Amino acid sequence: MNCDKVLYFFEKINQIPRGSGNEKAVSDYLVNFAKERDLWVHQDNANNVIIKKQGSKGYEDHFPVVIQGHMDMVCEKNTDVVHDFEKDPIKVIYDGDFIHADGTTLGADDGIAVAMAMALLDDENAVHPPLEAVFTTDEEVGMLGAANLDATLIEGRRLINIDSEEEGIFTVGCAGGVKTESKIPVELMEPLYENFSRIAVTNLEGGHSGIDIGRERANANKLLARVLDRITETENVQICSLNGGAKDNAIPRYSEAVVCCEDGDSLKATISLIREEIRAEYELTDSNIEITCENVERSDKVFTKNTADKIITALLLIPNGIQSMNLELNMPESSNNIGVVKMNENSVSLICALRSSVITKKLYMKSQIERLTKMCGGTLESHGDYPAWEYKTQSPLRDLFVDYYKEYYKGEPKVETVHAGLECGLIAEKIPDMDMISLGPDLFDIHTPKERASISSIERVWGFLKGILERM
């Protein structure tokens, strides 16, 4: 099944910057796409777009099917790449069976869903029931678009979400989550020393904070906390600033702090020792970790010791990684990712992405972070709270997909729940009788600049999608 049209529309939307919070242009593009084809279209204040297409000949009276995905993408790039995600298009590079970008995230999560839905809406020869394509915004920052979606406009009660990253796996449940931001107030003073250095933790593998959290990959913000804890105990050091990570839902690959110290040579020797210790710890997951120390220009202000102690304490003690396992399914049940550390005018923010399939455990983690934040003199804000998508014991849609998979692939699919968050949870909350399933082609290293997608997998999944619609 040729997927050229899917790749064509994927390249089209990749010409439009569409990071979370910046989807107005791609939303307008989808509206114009629908109007050019005389399709029913609705755009709301959150820039969500719903496009409806009548069923093909003989399918006009079938029950509608919802095709759903999100417009936004995670914007990550390598530190040596010059790219403005607010203005610059994403370059799609073809490399054998893979497509990838040029040192940035590709946006196949979830641009492939948008492209597949557009290809269906554009194809006058496709055989399908009435279609309702639902394109949401701000999924990557808390599913804000889905939270604001007017579900009364959706007639279908069978939904195909195309936001999974592994062919041959049908996702039928997911974790819920919430974002937290701990703000630790900062007190400043004049520096006591004249040697200023930037300590940088770089070259980590990173990854998706849900999908990859169980791989035990290093978190650059946590490693930086360990470094700062060590050097403030063994060296005469003051902290000037610290920043790390780019997105709360991406395991941070870099983190850095500017410090001043009494003895620059001694500091560099200590950093070298710490680097070798940490490399040994993460030899199997992050073998290329770098921790560097280089001279920088003088800063006028540094943190007081009290401020530095509170920030290091919070970074060290906020839970990170898997917090509990689902023993029945042998998969992560609850986790946290300290994704971003950033300087504000009068505070330092520690931004986390909490996930759990058990609401009480999600609230427990949030309470842990809130109490620790208060102990460090800070305040906690939370947003983007979304529910879990609970597994249904009875699902005619799932049964149909499994049966057709056996016919199409000549094998057995995996049917799983996932630790990542999907918008299906919010949609189920709005439309309790919606029967849902999620699928997608093989995507690798999403939320990182190494993100790539398999063309042959896109082609097979595209063929499967068209085939299953003929049976609905």
Side-chain angles (χ1 to χ4, degrees), residues 83-331:
H83 185 93
D84 186 344
F85 283 105
E86 296 288 320
K87 300 176 182 177
D88 299 336
I90 300 294
K91 183 179 181 182
V92 179
I93 298 173
Y94 289 79
D95 183 8
D97 185 47
F98 290 98
I99 52 174
H100 59 85
D102 188 10
T104 73
T105 38
L106 175 64
D109 174 20
D110 193 24
I112 289 298
V114 177
M116 285 189 177
M118 292 178 72
L120 283 171
L121 295 168
D122 183 66
D123 189 350
E124 295 181 358
N125 297 316
V127 179
H128 56 74
L131 297 178
E132 298 178 312
V134 178
F135 306 101
T136 50
T137 56
D138 291 333
E139 189 270 353
E140 300 289 5
V141 291
M143 307 190 186
L144 307 182
N148 287 287
L149 187 69
D150 183 358
T152 64
L153 298 174
I154 299 173
E155 301 171 74
R157 290 299 180 265
R158 298 174 295 175
L159 183 145
I160 303 171
N161 169 278
I162 311 175
D163 195 14
S164 293
E165 289 86 32
E166 192 170 348
E167 183 183 4
I169 294 179
F170 296 140
T171 302
V172 292
C174 73
V178 65
K179 317 289 185 180
T180 65
E181 181 173 358
S182 302
K183 290 187 176 180
I184 312 297
V186 169
E187 296 176 341
L188 300 174
M189 61 178 288
E190 298 290 328
L192 298 176
Y193 314 113
E194 293 302 321
N195 298 303
F196 288 80
S197 301
R198 176 184 290 107
I199 300 169
V201 180
T202 61
N203 284 9
L204 278 68
E205 289 295 318
H208 188 289
S209 68
I211 299 295
D212 297 314
I213 203 72
R215 300 181 188 274
E216 297 291 340
R217 291 176 179 171
N219 179 306
N221 291 329
K222 294 292 279 189
L223 293 188
L224 181 67
R226 289 177 58 180
V227 173
L228 295 176
D229 179 52
R230 181 87 158 267
I231 64 176
T232 53
E233 291 295 322
T234 61
E235 308 285 331
N236 289 323
V237 169
Q238 293 177 295
I239 300 173
C240 307
S241 65
L242 68 167
N243 289 281
K247 297 288 183 296
D248 54 65
N249 57 359
I251 300 171
R253 299 178 298 112
Y254 70 90
S255 193
E256 65 178 33
V258 174
V259 303
C260 71
C261 65
E262 184 177 35
D263 187 339
D265 291 337
S266 177
L267 176 65
K268 288 180 179 178
T270 301
I271 294 297
S272 294
L273 178 62
I274 297 171
R275 179 179 64 242
E276 295 312 309
E277 292 174 354
I278 288 176
R279 278 181 170 176
E281 290 179 21
Y282 289 95
E283 182 180 4
L284 297 180
T285 60
D286 295 79
S287 58
N288 296 315
I289 288 176
E290 277 292 345
I291 305 178
T292 57
C293 183
E294 59 181 15
N295 297 335
V296 293
E297 294 183 359
R298 189 182 195 278
S299 295
D300 294 331
K301 298 290 183 180
V302 299
F303 297 167
T304 63
K305 185 179 188 305
N306 184 49
T307 291
D309 285 346
K310 288 178 177 178
I311 292 170
I312 292 171
T313 297
L315 263 177
L316 279 177
L317 298 184
I318 286 178
N320 185 76
I322 295 176
Q323 300 301 300
S324 66
M325 291 288 294
N326 183 315
L327 299 181
E328 183 179 359
L329 300 175
N330 190 31
M331 63 175 289

Side-chain angles (χ1 to χ4, degrees), residues 235-445:
E235 308 285 331
N236 289 323
V237 169
Q238 293 177 295
I239 300 173
C240 307
S241 65
L242 68 167
N243 289 281
K247 297 288 183 296
D248 54 65
N249 57 359
I251 300 171
R253 299 178 298 112
Y254 70 90
S255 193
E256 65 178 33
V258 174
V259 303
C260 71
C261 65
E262 184 177 35
D263 187 339
D265 291 337
S266 177
L267 176 65
K268 288 180 179 178
T270 301
I271 294 297
S272 294
L273 178 62
I274 297 171
R275 179 179 64 242
E276 295 312 309
E277 292 174 354
I278 288 176
R279 278 181 170 176
E281 290 179 21
Y282 289 95
E283 182 180 4
L284 297 180
T285 60
D286 295 79
S287 58
N288 296 315
I289 288 176
E290 277 292 345
I291 305 178
T292 57
C293 183
E294 59 181 15
N295 297 335
V296 293
E297 294 183 359
R298 189 182 195 278
S299 295
D300 294 331
K301 298 290 183 180
V302 299
F303 297 167
T304 63
K305 185 179 188 305
N306 184 49
T307 291
D309 285 346
K310 288 178 177 178
I311 292 170
I312 292 171
T313 297
L315 263 177
L316 279 177
L317 298 184
I318 286 178
N320 185 76
I322 295 176
Q323 300 301 300
S324 66
M325 291 288 294
N326 183 315
L327 299 181
E328 183 179 359
L329 300 175
N330 190 31
M331 63 175 289
E333 180 181 72
S334 308
S335 72
N336 183 45
N337 177 59
I338 306 176
V340 179
V341 176
K342 68 176 182 179
M343 295 286 295
N344 308 311
E345 186 175 354
N346 299 307
S347 65
V348 170
S349 286
L350 314 180
I351 304 175
C352 298
L354 292 71
R355 303 176 189 270
S356 183
S357 54
V358 180
I359 188 170
T360 52
K361 291 192 175 183
K362 182 177 73 173
L363 295 174
Y364 169 59
M365 288 189 294
K366 183 181 174 184
S367 294
Q368 284 181 294
I369 296 172
E370 185 169 20
R371 283 190 171 272
L372 181 57
T373 300
K374 288 180 178 178
M375 287 177 61
C376 294
T379 57
L380 187 80
E381 298 175 1
S382 62
H383 66 278
D385 197 333
Y386 59 91
W389 168 25
E390 296 185 6
Y391 173 82
K392 287 187 175 182
T393 55
Q394 301 294 323
S395 170
L397 184 64
R398 181 176 68 234
D399 295 342
L400 176 65
F401 268 62
V402 169
D403 288 343
Y404 182 57
Y405 184 96
K406 295 175 183 177
E407 176 186 336
Y408 183 84
Y409 284 97
K410 310 302 181 187
E412 292 279 346
K414 293 182 179 179
V415 179
E416 299 180 348
T417 61
V418 67
H419 189 55
L422 290 169
E423 292 158 299
C424 297
L426 279 164
I427 293 171
E429 199 171 55
K430 293 172 182 285
I431 312 174
D433 59 340
M434 183 73 85
D435 196 0
M436 295 180 287
I437 197 164
S438 180
L439 79 164
D442 287 333
L443 309 181
F444 302 91
D445 296 311

